[in-house]
Structure formats: C-alpha cells, structure tokens
C-alpha cells in the first residue's frame, strides 16, 4: 500500500489549491493509498536560519513543528504538494518549509554523498498549483523551485496540475473538470507508487 504525504501550502483553508488537493487525496485513497494530510498554516515553522547545525547529521537543529514533518518527508513514498503562485513561486508557508528542507539537501549531498545529477529517485511527487493571471510563463519559476525541492527529498516530479485564471476562494468549483482531473491524478499517482 502506497504511503503519501499531502501538504496544503495555501494560506486559505478553502482556497482553490486546497480544494484541488482534497480531490487528489480522495482519488489516492480510493486507489488504496494511505494519505496523511499536513496543513502548513497550522504549523509553527521558523525560516531556515542558515546556521548549518544540520551538517553533522542532516537534521535541522531548530526545534519547532518542522521536526515531525522532517520524519514524515523521509518516510513517505509519495508527496503531493499544493501551493498557489505568489510572485511566480510558492506561498510563503510553502517556501519556509522548503527552505528548512535544506537539511535534507545537506543529508543527501554532503552526508550521503549522492552524486549530483543522479535521477533514479526513490520517491515521486505531484505538484498542484493555481495562479490568478493567465501569463504564459506563470508556472516557470514555481516548477523550477518544486523540481529542486523534490530532488532534495529524493523524489522525481511525477506530474503537475497547473491552472491559470483562478484567484478568489472557491473559483475552482466553477471548473468541475479541474476537480475531476485532480481526483484522477491522485488515483493514478497512488497506483504509480504502490
């Protein structure tokens, strides 16, 4: 049975990315996956202070809500990350979490000495995002950030669901095809890692 960690990175509990992620989680569960949901808004996570306390063990030394999340990131087989686009990258809640995963980068590349460019990842990741504008390059920056974040977690970017023109809370409900696509992607994602 696949174990998936689903991370809600939106500051809004009922925002568009949250609704899309909820559908993806439901699809994954219907395909037999065990899914644990994490709402970043509910956690108290300090930004990375770049003190490199992680260089000895690969574990961040700042004691806050990131510590149990670190263990869950290591233990899961798949990660579904959802964040709206803010200034062509992820939300601040998501970015703080990503930055704290510098400790996992240190573990992977400094301690475990994984060769750079190694692509036989042990995990998979699915990214879900929405943006208010319809700009052609709206998701270019965020996808680059997500790819490198997943790499630090030893995860390949298996897929992404990216939707333009959604800003106000709940607008995605007017697009049932998006919600159905998220459900189907969650289901397929779970099957791909089981």
């Amino acid at each position: 049975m696949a174990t998936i960690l689903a991370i809600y990175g939106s500051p809004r509990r009922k925002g568009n990315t949250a609704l899309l992620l909820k559908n993806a989680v439901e699809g994954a569960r219907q395909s037999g996956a065990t899914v644990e949901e994490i709402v970043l808004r509910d956690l108290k996570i300090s930004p990375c202070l770049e003190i490199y306390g992680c260089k000895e063990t690969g574990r961040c030394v700042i004691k806050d809500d990131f510590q149990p999340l670190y263990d869950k990131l290591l233990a899961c087989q798949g990660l579904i990350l959802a964040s709206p686009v803010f200034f062509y990258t992820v939300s601040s809640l998501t970015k703080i979490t990503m930055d704290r995963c510098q400790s996992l980068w240190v573990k992977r590349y400094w301690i475990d000495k994984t060769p750079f460019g190694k692509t036989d990842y042990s995990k998979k990741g699915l990214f879900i995002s929405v943006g208010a504008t319809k700009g052609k390059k709206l998701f270019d920056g965020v996808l680059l950030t997500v790819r490198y974040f997943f790499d630090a977690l030893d995860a390949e970017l298996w897929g992404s669901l990216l939707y333009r023109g959604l800003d106000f809370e709940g607008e995605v409900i007017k697009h049932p095809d998006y919600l159905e696509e998220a459900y189907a992607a969650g289901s397929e994602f779970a099957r791909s890692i089981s």
Side-chain angles (χ1 to χ4, degrees), residues 129-186:
S129 188
V130 303
T133 69
K134 296 185 180 182
K136 188 172 144 183
K137 296 188 176 194
L138 177 62
F139 297 107
D140 288 5
V142 74
L143 282 173
L144 189 59
T145 300
V146 167
R147 276 193 181 93
Y148 280 103
F149 169 63
F150 282 168
D151 178 75
L153 303 177
D154 193 22
E156 70 173 311
L157 178 58
W158 174 86
S160 55
L161 300 174
L162 310 171
Y163 302 102
R164 292 171 168 80
L166 298 174
D167 192 7
F168 299 105
E169 190 172 300
E171 281 184 331
V172 73
I173 293 169
K174 298 174 189 170
H175 301 274
D177 52 322
Y178 296 174
L179 296 168
E180 289 168 15
E181 187 177 18
Y183 181 92

Side-chain angles (χ1 to χ4, degrees), residues 16-56:
N16 297 303
T17 51
L19 293 173
L20 288 161
L21 180 54
K22 181 180 177 187
N23 277 32
V25 165
E26 187 178 329
R29 285 185 174 139
Q30 287 300 315
S31 289
T34 299
V35 184
E36 182 173 357
E37 299 172 73
I38 303 289
V39 179
L40 293 180
R41 176 182 165 165
D42 294 343
L43 303 180
K44 299 237 184 289
I45 298 178
S46 164
C48 175
L49 300 177
E50 206 173 6
I51 55 178
Y52 283 106
C54 58
K55 70 182 177 183
E56 298 299 321

Side-chain angles (χ1 to χ4, degrees):
M1 182 181 324
T3 58
I4 296 172
L5 189 63
I7 297 181
Y8 292 80
S10 176
R12 297 190 295 205
R13 292 189 186 282
K14 296 180 182 175
N16 297 303
T17 51
L19 293 173
L20 288 161
L21 180 54
K22 181 180 177 187
N23 277 32
V25 165
E26 187 178 329
R29 285 185 174 139
Q30 287 300 315
S31 289
T34 299
V35 184
E36 182 173 357
E37 299 172 73
I38 303 289
V39 179
L40 293 180
R41 176 182 165 165
D42 294 343
L43 303 180
K44 299 237 184 289
I45 298 178
S46 164
C48 175
L49 300 177
E50 206 173 6
I51 55 178
Y52 283 106
C54 58
K55 70 182 177 183
E56 298 299 321
T57 65
R59 188 170 192 101
C60 184
V61 296
I62 301 169
K63 303 297 182 202
D64 60 13
D65 289 342
F66 178 73
Q67 294 300 328
L69 179 56
Y70 176 100
D71 294 328
K72 293 171 189 197
L73 288 166
L74 284 177
C76 71
Q77 295 172 289
L79 174 67
I80 307 177
L81 175 67
S83 173
V85 171
F86 285 18
F87 292 99
Y88 286 74
T89 193
V90 292
S91 71
S92 60
L93 297 167
T94 307
K95 187 62 169 73
I96 285 173
T97 303
M98 288 177 162
D99 289 352
R100 287 291 293 282
C101 287
Q102 177 70 13
S103 56
L104 286 164
W105 186 94
V106 165
K107 180 182 182 329
R108 181 168 165 78
Y109 290 109
W110 288 2
I111 296 170
D112 296 344
K113 301 199 183 313
T114 301
F116 286 104
K118 181 181 173 213
T119 57
D120 55 332
Y121 296 108
S122 67
K123 303 173 193 264
K124 294 182 181 180
L126 171 61
F127 179 57
I128 301 171
S129 188
V130 303
T133 69
K134 296 185 180 182
K136 188 172 144 183
K137 296 188 176 194
L138 177 62
F139 297 107
D140 288 5
V142 74
L143 282 173
L144 189 59
T145 300
V146 167
R147 276 193 181 93
Y148 280 103
F149 169 63
F150 282 168
D151 178 75
L153 303 177
D154 193 22
E156 70 173 311
L157 178 58
W158 174 86
S160 55
L161 300 174
L162 310 171
Y163 302 102
R164 292 171 168 80
L166 298 174
D167 192 7
F168 299 105
E169 190 172 300
E171 281 184 331
V172 73
I173 293 169
K174 298 174 189 170
H175 301 274
D177 52 322
Y178 296 174
L179 296 168
E180 289 168 15
E181 187 177 18
Y183 181 92
S187 178
E188 187 180 344
F189 182 65
R191 288 193 305 273
S192 80
I193 58 177
S194 58

